Amino acid sequence: MSGFDSNPFADHDANPFADPSVTQLTQNAANNSQRGLEDYNPFADQGNKRNTLATRPADSQYPQNPQYRPPMISGGAQPAVMQPMNEPPPYSSQNRISTEELQRRQEELERKAADLQRREEELRNATHLPRPNNWPPLPSNFCVQPCFYQDINVDIPLEFQKTVRTMYYLWMLDASVMILNVLGALALLIGTGEGSLFIMSIVFCAVFTPFSYVCWFRPIYKAFRSDSSFNFMVFFFVFFFNCFLKGLMAIGVPGMGACGWFVTLDAYGKSIGAAVCSTLVSLGFTAVEAANIYLLLKIHKMYRSSDASFAKAQQEFASGVLRNEHVQSAAANVAAGAVHQTMTANTGSRY
């Protein structure tokens, strides 16, 4: 049984230092110790080290972080490398604001601030002193004095000043075309002997020019000044009629007193010079009609975007009528007459 107690794998005569790897290390250490610094070649074992790193597992290549595990790469591909972020491109010349642009904006802001300050001063003075009428701008020694006060920079809010000023320019264009229509009718009178057109053009110019200012420009002026729904309604009603009338004048319907396109085409067979003058008037009426339609749609869009309504216009009309001094005095007179009549009737029946 003693034969079973012995270890068949035990090698009692083997030398543990006879292992090839141990002997190679000891020989290298001995050789390095024998050679001096002058004979030392650090690249002598470079091939051995490369072979060792190739056969060594991947964990031994990162001794400073033992918990790190490199990603598994298949197919011999290179490991992923994070690319550095590119710096943002500098601002282009289009995004840069020049000094002239900043100066222009600064001047515009200063001008608006000055306009607002002047407007506040005007409003502050208006509470104490009545504002004199300044339109139409007539000389002080003229027989007729101005009838209205008009100052767009003072009365109209800043966001609506451009629209009101455009409407005022449209009225001036309308008046200029009406005066030009009189001259065109005069040319037709001289060239073709048409006298009724000349007379009607004078009547229309004398009537429609002041009425257009009073009936549609002043309502839109007061509508934007005080946000009045009633004045908006008056403007839409009158200005729509004005657009219809200017359309007929641009067409040249007979009896309208306007040198429209039909009148112009008829004049080319009678007098070329008068026809040329009438053509200019027809172009003016066409331009006025196009501007009327455009501004009517624009103001209607602004009106729809606001809080104005027909019900609000009715309330403003009722309150305005009740606050009117003439209406109040007339109502007081009617009430006093009714009371006096009732008292007289009662006294007569008693006796």
Side-chain angles (χ1 to χ4, degrees):
M1 296 300 291
S2 62
F4 292 100
D5 296 334
S6 62
N7 187 3
F9 300 99
D11 191 3
H12 300 282
D13 297 333
N15 186 7
F17 297 100
D19 185 62
S21 61
V22 177
T23 56
Q24 184 180 0
L25 291 175
T26 55
Q27 289 177 3
N28 291 335
N31 293 332
N32 291 334
S33 63
Q34 291 176 3
R35 289 182 298 179
L37 296 175
E38 297 178 357
D39 299 332
Y40 176 71
N41 186 6
F43 301 100
D45 300 332
Q46 186 175 4
N48 297 329
K49 291 182 179 180
R50 288 180 179 176
N51 295 331
T52 305
L53 291 175
T55 58
R56 188 176 297 174
D59 295 345
S60 62
Q61 298 181 13
Y62 305 92
Q64 65 277 11
N65 189 3
Q67 298 180 357
Y68 177 79
R69 292 294 182 271
M72 299 300 294
I73 303 175
S74 61
Q78 296 295 329
V81 180
M82 182 180 293
Q83 298 293 336
M85 296 180 61
N86 296 329
E87 296 182 359
Y91 290 101
S92 60
S93 58
Q94 298 179 355
N95 296 332
R96 295 177 182 175
I97 301 177
S98 60
T99 307
E100 292 78 5
E101 181 69 16
L102 292 176
Q103 186 176 2
R104 186 185 64 81
R105 293 183 181 181
Q106 181 66 24
E107 292 177 356
E108 184 178 357
L109 291 176
E110 291 178 356
R111 183 172 64 254
K112 291 181 179 180
D115 292 341
L116 290 176
Q117 184 177 3
R118 184 174 63 86
R119 182 182 177 186
E120 290 178 357
E121 292 178 357
E122 291 286 342
L123 293 176
R124 192 181 303 110
N125 296 331
T127 56
H128 304 284
L129 298 176
R131 296 183 297 181
N133 296 329
N134 57 359
W135 200 95
L138 300 174
S140 58
N141 55 357
F142 197 69
C143 58
V144 179
Q145 297 298 320
C147 304
F148 306 97
Y149 177 82
Q150 176 178 313
D151 194 344
I152 298 176
N153 295 326
V154 174
D155 288 341
I156 308 302
L158 189 62
E159 61 271 18
F160 302 129
Q161 288 183 4
K162 183 178 179 180
T163 303
V164 176
R165 192 173 286 109
T166 304
M167 293 298 296
Y168 181 66
Y169 293 155
L170 176 62
W171 175 83
M172 295 177 64
L173 178 63
D174 193 338
S176 301
V177 172
M178 295 299 293
I179 296 174
L180 186 63
N181 181 53
V182 175
L183 299 179
L186 179 61
L188 291 176
L189 174 64
I190 297 173
T192 62
E194 184 69 27
S196 60
L197 180 64
F198 178 68
I199 296 175
M200 292 296 295
S201 65
I202 294 177
V203 173
F204 282 3
C205 181
V207 173
F208 287 155
T209 300
F211 276 20
S212 60
Y213 180 86
V214 175
C215 295
W216 61 261
F217 176 74
R218 289 299 297 179
I220 196 61
Y221 183 89
K222 293 187 289 186
F224 281 112
R225 181 184 63 184
S226 58
D227 192 16
S228 174
S229 299
F230 175 74
N231 285 289
F232 271 116
M233 292 296 176
V234 173
F235 165 77
F236 287 135
F237 177 77
V238 179
F239 198 71
F240 180 80
F241 175 75
N242 177 71
C243 291
F244 178 75
L245 185 62
K246 289 301 187 297
L248 296 178
M249 288 184 173
I251 295 173
V253 177
M256 293 298 299
C259 300
W261 290 109
F262 287 167
V263 177
T264 301
L265 295 176
D266 184 66
Y268 271 104
K270 300 177 181 179
S271 176
I272 300 298
V276 171
C277 296
S278 181
T279 302
L280 297 178
V281 179
S282 301
L283 291 175
F285 277 122
T286 304
V288 169
E289 179 64 13
N292 287 341
I293 295 175
Y294 170 74
L295 289 174
L296 178 62
L297 296 177
K298 180 180 179 180
I299 295 177
H300 184 263
K301 183 178 180 180
M302 298 172 64
Y303 170 79
R304 292 292 299 271
S305 61
S306 64
D307 58 347
S309 61
F310 184 74
K312 187 177 179 181
Q314 291 178 337
Q315 295 177 0
E316 291 179 1
F317 176 75
S319 61
V321 168
L322 293 177
R323 287 198 303 265
N324 194 334
E325 296 180 358
H326 300 286
V327 175
Q328 291 178 358
S329 61
N333 293 333
V334 171
V339 171
H340 179 71
Q341 184 177 2
T342 303
M343 294 179 63
T344 303
N346 293 334
T347 304
S349 60
R350 182 179 302 177
Y351 296 100

